[in-house]
């Protein structure tokens, strides 16, 4: 079974920086797209950034120029570096990956448990 474990969330002052990480474990054969989502209280989960299987990236407008998605130095990991944080960035941040295992070579969606990022004003 594939598991995604996130880390790095916490409390930061407005204008500060924080990097959160996600590591996938299991009998992983292939990872295609990876992404970060976030969900604020009372809001729907929204896409933040995508790392495609071809290494191209995509950012939504509200984080463009401030956030950077990247593969970690270890395989099957993805990071989100967040700079110039704003109070409106406060949310639970979720990691998502399309993963195929050696037991089933088809790709399925997997989600992390979420990590809280709180930006004080």
């Amino acid at each position: 079974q594939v598991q995604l474990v996130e880390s790095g969330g916490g409390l930061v002052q407005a204008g500060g920086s924080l990097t959160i990480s996600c590591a996938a474990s299991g009998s992983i054969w292939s990872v295609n797209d990876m992404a970060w989502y976030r969900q604020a209280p009372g809001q729907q989960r929204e896409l933040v950034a995508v790392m495609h299987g071809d290494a191209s990236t995509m950012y939504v407008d509200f984080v463009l120029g401030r956030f950077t998605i990247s593969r970690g130095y270890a395989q099957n990991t993805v990071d989100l570096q967040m700079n110039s944080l704003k109070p409106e960035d406060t949310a639970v941040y979720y990691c998502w990956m399309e993963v195929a295992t050696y037991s089933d070579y088809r790709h399925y969606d997997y989600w992390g448990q979420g990590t809280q990022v709180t930006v004080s004003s």
Side-chain angles (χ1 to χ4, degrees), residues 77-107:
T77 62
V78 62
D79 299 332
L80 184 69
Q81 181 175 338
M82 300 176 287
N83 299 320
S84 301
L85 282 162
K86 306 173 182 178
E88 50 263 44
D89 293 320
T90 295
V92 177
Y93 284 72
Y94 295 91
C95 176
W96 171 90
M97 297 185 188
E98 290 182 315
V99 181
T101 68
Y102 288 101
S103 299
D104 185 345
Y105 293 100
R106 294 174 294 183
H107 288 85

Side-chain angles (χ1 to χ4, degrees), residues 1-4 22-35 76-78 95-112:
Q1 184 176 2
V2 175
Q3 293 185 359
L4 272 57
C22 176
S25 62
S27 185
I28 298 172
W29 175 65
S30 174
V31 177
N32 285 340
D33 293 346
M34 301 182 289
N76 307 318
T77 62
V78 62
C95 176
W96 171 90
M97 297 185 188
E98 290 182 315
V99 181
T101 68
Y102 288 101
S103 299
D104 185 345
Y105 293 100
R106 294 174 294 183
H107 288 85
Y108 297 95
D109 295 343
Y110 292 90
W111 291 90

Side-chain angles (χ1 to χ4, degrees), residues 46-60:
E46 61 184 359
L47 181 67
V48 175
V50 180
M51 170 69 73
H52 294 287
D54 64 1
S56 64
T57 58
M58 187 280 295
Y59 301 91
V60 295

